Amino acid sequence: PWRIVGHARTLAHLQRRLNAIDAPAWFPERSGVPAGGKVLHLDLHPMNIILDRTGGIIDWTNAARGQGSFDAAMSFALMSGFEVDGVKDRAGRRLMVEVFARSRGRRAIRGRLPEAVRFRLADPHVTPGERLRLQAMLGG
């Protein structure tokens, strides 16, 4: 927990670097993802990062081409929706999300957040608790 700020910044930095890469022609487009030509992970959160010197990113199942701001908004939505128990864990989640947003760029996230939340809500694996948190982000 004492490294949460650094981890949030690392996540934002890795995502920014990833979203700067031009997607190869064979990279898929996904319904609901704004068109663009950059590499998107679409499931980038702390559990999909291996903390070593190179900062390895795992779980590329959802990768697609699109706009980096959408990927940032997806990460924000994923982390905001995580179900955690207890006051300390909720405070840690809030800190992680806030530092990520500040490091990644609030404007980029804010501009794509409704689309990203709707995209996430379309996933049948969203838990009931996560669904409630995401719906609250949409104001409903």
Side-chain angles (χ1 to χ4, degrees):
W2 56 91
R3 297 178 63 189
I4 217 164
V5 169
H7 290 328
R9 289 179 180 148
T10 297
L11 181 66
H13 174 74
L14 287 172
Q15 188 178 62
R16 202 176 301 106
R17 287 179 49 206
L18 175 66
N19 296 156
I21 299 170
D22 291 330
W26 53 265
F27 236 60
E29 292 180 349
R30 297 212 186 279
S31 178
V33 175
K38 300 300 181 181
V39 171
L40 309 184
H41 188 275
L42 299 178
D43 193 24
L44 196 59
H45 54 76
M47 291 181 285
N48 281 339
I49 301 292
I50 296 176
L51 292 175
D52 62 10
R53 281 193 248 163
T54 59
I57 299 172
I58 62 171
D59 190 4
W60 288 86
T61 308
N62 298 321
R65 66 175 43 249
Q67 298 176 19
S69 56
F70 186 79
D71 207 17
M74 276 299 299
S75 291
F76 184 90
L78 285 164
M79 290 186 290
S80 296
F82 279 163
E83 290 188 66
V84 295
D85 294 320
V87 173
K88 290 180 184 177
D89 289 339
R90 285 192 298 273
R93 177 189 56 206
R94 187 171 38 257
L95 179 60
M96 180 75 174
V97 169
E98 286 304 313
V99 173
F100 172 81
R102 188 176 20 178
S103 299
R104 186 63 176 89
R106 288 185 193 282
R107 186 180 314 167
I109 291 169
R110 197 176 310 127
R112 293 289 180 189
L113 191 57
E115 291 169 290
V117 169
R118 285 191 290 274
F119 185 83
R120 181 71 183 137
L121 284 169
D123 185 334
H125 300 104
V126 171
T127 65
E130 183 182 7
R131 185 168 300 283
L132 287 173
R133 290 184 62 75
L134 291 168
Q135 288 169 335
M137 291 172 72
L138 289 177

